[in-house]
Amino acid sequence: MIIDVPRFVAAERPYWDELHTMLAKLEAEPERRLQLEEIERLHYLYERCSADLSRLDTFATEPRVRASLEALVSRAYSTIHETRAPAKIRWKAALLAFPRAFRRHLGAFRLSVGVTLLGMAFGWFALHIDARNKAVLLPFSHLLIPPAERVAQEEHAKEDRLKGLKASFAANLMTHNTHVTILAMALGVTFGAGTLILLFYNGVILGAVITDYVAAHQSVFLAGWLLPHGSIEIPAILLGGQAGFILAGALIGWGDRTARVDRLRAVASDLVAIIAGAGVMLVWAGTVEAFVSQYHQPVIPYALKIAFGLCEAAALTFYLGWAGRE
Amino acid sequence: MSERGTSLVIETPEGVDFSYELASPVTRAVAWIIDLAAIGVLTKGTDKLCEWLAHLNRDWADGLAVILYFVISVGYAIVLEWRWRGQTLGKRVLGLRVVDAQGLRLQLSQVVLRNLLRLVDMLPVAYLVGGIASFASRNCQRLGDLAAGTIVARERNAPDADMEELAPAKYNSLAAFPHLTARLRSLVRPEAVSMAVEAVARRDAYEPLARIELFRELADYFRGLVQFPEAAAEGLTDEQYVRSVLRVVYGTRSN
């Protein structure tokens, strides 16, 4: 037991100050690699300060000293016991982290695709049994026009209806779709229920639009309109759903005996990689939608637009499926 | 591992405990209001910039304004919490910090995740989901914190009290009895010492009667722990007695 606290504090304070100085340097330069002697010294100081804290615990008349020593020990603990590498953005690694994270959780992506397909089937079924359901399923004015009429309007347009609006239109698309994708991921915290509902609803809209245009024999227009941006935008939202289901899976932990906090910790960097990748994809998709997708034959031939969309889809498939494979 | 409500205790493999004092949902809400104001100011600044750019091209300026607003509202907390090791402007003002719930180093992925999940915590309005989660959670965690494995803690960087100013070492009659002062140090509760330090530091701000009453209660508590000889306490008012006690508890060094 410490009899003379002031003498104890005076004797130990130089060690606390030395540890504080070492930690401040390490916190300022987390990438810095310590020499063996420095590691040994850091460990010694940490153990000494931990022992001091333990001794003060039995004699706690110095709340401020105890609090500052506690803060010092917690900083040293986080530095010494952290096994994850300090984060530093390396572009090449980030470029490969995204497809690798995607491939590690293919099951969640398949679920995301499955739920969207189910929604599409529902959208098809709802329109198939009664075409008047279109007004309920597609609450967007430009989609309520009969497809043939819209195609005629678009193909015979004399003026560029997006003239002077393309950049702001693209910006609105990018931010809205990124918001939806982040929401699809974030709703995973509702044990996946929110993600499921959002993906299903997206699928319903997509299914209803496709049914509407195919039934009106406007499939070529539809492909030329949707593929250039949709081949990137739709997978990006599916990736958001994948991230949501990964999060839900870590929260629920089916058949996984590790603690929930460890499960979440294990998937955190994959979630960030996937959502960051999806965000970049949506910047591209927004640009294409504003500058390419809204222009139809004769301005841009459908064949060219469809080919462009298919090339994008192939490049994305190759990137997500093979980039960074070891 | 934890003590419900006010603090999170981490036990190290060395067998030493250290704790984080948890920030209450109300304090966090105040910090977020400050952050909202900061976001508002930043957005206003970018709007001004875009208004100026609109003279060159209205469409591109409008597009830039939309993107900058999105980037600022989503990225503000991510960038600051990463650059300032767990603090935004609001948290810095209120002395709060985001820390790893296991006491380890805060990772970029944790910062990103807790801030992206804000979208759900904000639902349906005014952080209702996050607020309910914080009140219901053992460690005052909103959903974003639960998913990212983080907590928001109060910083403990209070400077040591200036004992020379609060309780001068000179003419301390209690110091003449080292065996009794050692006993006093071993018995006194840290909360009582903190309270006495606060009382002495703010003594001039109290109403006269409240000041007399407060120091009487504190002096009674200290007298109840250790009985000093009458000669040592003779002529000391309750306030002087408390200051003398503080001095012997903190020792003779000047902090």
Side-chain angles (χ1 to χ4, degrees):
Chain A
M1 181 175 153
I2 308 163
I3 297 298
D4 190 341
V5 175
R7 184 180 292 176
F8 169 75
V9 171
E12 293 301 306
R13 197 177 280 278
Y15 296 101
W16 304 348
D17 290 343
E18 188 184 346
L19 180 59
H20 168 76
T21 310
M22 278 190 96
L23 290 173
K25 275 187 194 165
L26 280 172
E27 284 160 1
E29 301 171 70
E31 290 269 298
R32 185 167 163 252
R33 294 185 76 83
L34 296 175
Q35 300 297 317
L36 182 61
E37 303 80 55
E38 289 178 299
I39 294 170
E40 284 173 347
R41 186 67 183 165
L42 177 66
H43 192 249
Y44 169 74
L45 290 170
Y46 166 62
E47 291 207 318
R48 181 159 192 145
C49 292
S50 296
D52 289 346
L53 178 61
S54 193
R55 292 171 80 187
L56 269 180
D57 270 345
T58 60
F59 198 89
T61 55
E62 295 265 17
R64 284 164 195 264
V65 173
R66 194 191 183 286
S68 67
L69 188 56
E70 212 176 27
L72 189 64
V73 169
S74 71
R75 282 168 64 200
Y77 172 78
S78 72
T79 303
I80 287 171
H81 286 272
E82 182 57 82
T83 52
R84 296 169 294 185
K88 190 179 176 188
I89 297 171
R90 293 187 184 86
W91 292 111
K92 191 181 170 193
L95 218 61
L96 298 180
F98 171 39
R100 282 174 180 158
F102 164 77
R103 291 195 296 269
R104 264 194 291 274
H105 305 280
L106 271 181
F109 186 73
R110 288 193 193 106
L111 182 59
S112 186
V113 173
V115 172
T116 305
L117 287 175
L118 213 61
M120 288 172 72
F122 182 84
W124 166 80
F125 179 71
L127 243 65
H128 186 69
I129 56 168
D130 188 350
R132 286 173 300 179
N133 286 334
K134 184 179 168 183
V136 180
L137 297 178
L138 303 175
F140 310 104
S141 57
H142 66 286
L143 293 178
L144 290 176
I145 307 169
E149 194 180 314
R150 182 182 169 208
V151 172
Q153 278 177 14
E154 299 271 3
E155 288 180 351
H156 296 97
K158 295 273 185 285
E159 287 180 359
D160 179 0
R161 62 186 168 84
L162 285 176
K163 192 177 177 189
L165 294 170
K166 279 196 273 286
S168 48
F169 181 54
N172 277 304
L173 292 169
M174 286 172 204
T175 53
H176 172 263
N177 290 333
T178 307
H179 187 271
V180 171
T181 304
I182 293 173
L183 193 62
M185 187 271 280
L187 284 170
V189 83
T190 60
F191 298 97
T195 306
L196 197 126
I197 292 168
L198 194 146
L199 288 174
F200 185 82
Y201 177 66
N202 256 354
V204 170
I205 294 175
L206 192 59
V209 170
I210 292 172
T211 306
D212 194 26
Y213 278 73
V214 171
H217 307 290
Q218 301 298 337
S219 307
V220 177
F221 173 88
L222 179 74
W225 168 45
L226 284 188
L227 273 178
H229 67 276
S231 58
I232 301 295
E233 183 188 296
I234 295 166
I237 293 171
L238 292 174
L239 285 164
Q242 178 191 25
F245 288 132
I246 295 169
L247 180 57
L251 279 170
I252 298 166
W254 282 304
D256 192 341
R257 299 180 74 127
T258 51
R260 192 188 64 194
V261 66
D262 293 325
R263 294 196 302 267
L264 288 166
R265 199 176 281 271
V267 299
S269 52
D270 283 351
L271 292 178
V272 172
I274 289 172
I275 222 67
V280 173
M281 285 165 65
L282 289 167
V283 170
W284 172 258
T287 311
V288 171
E289 186 169 0
F291 289 87
V292 178
S293 295
Q294 306 302 327
Y295 297 93
H296 310 283
Q297 210 155 272
V299 180
I300 308 177
Y302 290 132
L304 189 60
K305 289 177 77 180
I306 292 168
F308 178 66
L310 292 174
C311 286
E312 283 176 305
L316 181 66
T317 307
F318 179 78
Y319 172 61
L320 289 177
W322 282 273
R325 260 189 202 273
E326 282 150 2
Chain B
M1 185 172 171
S2 67
E3 185 181 299
R4 191 181 177 91
T6 56
S7 65
L8 173 71
V9 180
I10 310 274
E11 190 182 332
T12 70
E14 291 79 12
V16 177
D17 291 350
F18 62 84
S19 64
Y20 290 113
E21 190 187 343
L22 299 171
S24 72
V26 176
T27 320
R28 292 175 63 176
V30 176
W32 183 242
I33 288 168
I34 296 171
D35 289 329
L36 270 186
I39 289 172
V41 169
L42 282 172
T43 310
K44 195 84 183 159
T46 54
D47 280 351
K48 288 278 175 207
L49 174 75
C50 292
E51 269 175 38
W52 182 79
L53 288 173
H55 295 298
L56 303 173
N57 187 313
R58 161 67 63 187
D59 181 30
W60 284 91
D62 287 348
L64 187 65
V66 171
I67 289 173
L68 285 177
Y69 174 73
F70 183 78
V71 168
I72 290 169
S73 55
V74 174
Y76 164 86
I78 294 175
V79 171
L80 285 190
E81 282 179 7
W82 179 236
R83 299 303 302 174
W84 289 351
R85 294 192 298 113
Q87 289 190 309
T88 56
L89 192 63
K91 289 190 180 78
R92 189 169 270 213
V93 169
L94 292 175
L96 309 180
R97 191 182 286 278
V98 180
V99 293
D100 182 279
Q102 292 185 331
L104 300 174
R105 194 192 300 130
L106 190 66
Q107 296 288 309
L108 179 60
S109 58
Q110 291 175 293
V111 170
V112 174
L113 209 53
R114 75 181 295 280
N115 282 297
L116 292 185
L117 262 70
R118 208 179 277 285
L119 280 185
V120 177
D121 281 308
M122 289 165 82
L123 293 173
V125 282
Y127 272 93
L128 195 64
V129 167
I132 291 170
S134 292
F135 278 108
S137 148
R138 187 167 55 175
N139 295 323
C140 297
Q141 291 167 295
R142 60 176 176 82
L143 296 179
D145 286 318
L146 282 167
T150 53
I151 56 161
V152 180
R154 285 182 175 280
E155 286 214 281
R156 288 168 305 178
N157 53 3
D160 290 352
D162 184 354
M163 274 301 128
E164 205 49 45
E165 197 260 327
L166 295 180
K170 279 183 184 176
Y171 315 120
N172 190 334
S173 52
L174 306 188
F177 303 92
H179 61 294
L180 292 176
T181 57
R183 184 166 164 70
L184 179 64
R185 281 197 210 108
S186 68
L187 292 175
V188 71
R189 283 168 44 222
E191 297 82 14
V193 176
S194 296
M195 202 183 293
V197 170
E198 288 296 316
V200 174
R202 296 181 187 180
R203 60 191 183 277
D204 292 330
Y206 296 128
E207 292 289 323
L209 282 178
R211 179 172 173 171
I212 290 168
E213 181 65 18
L214 176 65
F215 281 103
R216 187 181 62 71
E217 281 183 22
L218 285 168
D220 284 350
Y221 165 74
F222 291 126
R223 284 190 189 106
L225 296 176
V226 173
Q227 196 71 48
F228 281 90
E230 271 187 32
E234 195 180 357
L236 293 181
T237 63
D238 289 335
E239 187 173 321
Q240 285 169 328
Y241 186 81
V242 170
R243 293 174 72 181
S244 299
V245 164
L246 280 182
R247 191 67 227 196
V248 294
V249 165
Y250 273 89
T252 51
R253 75 186 192 284
S254 60
N255 285 306

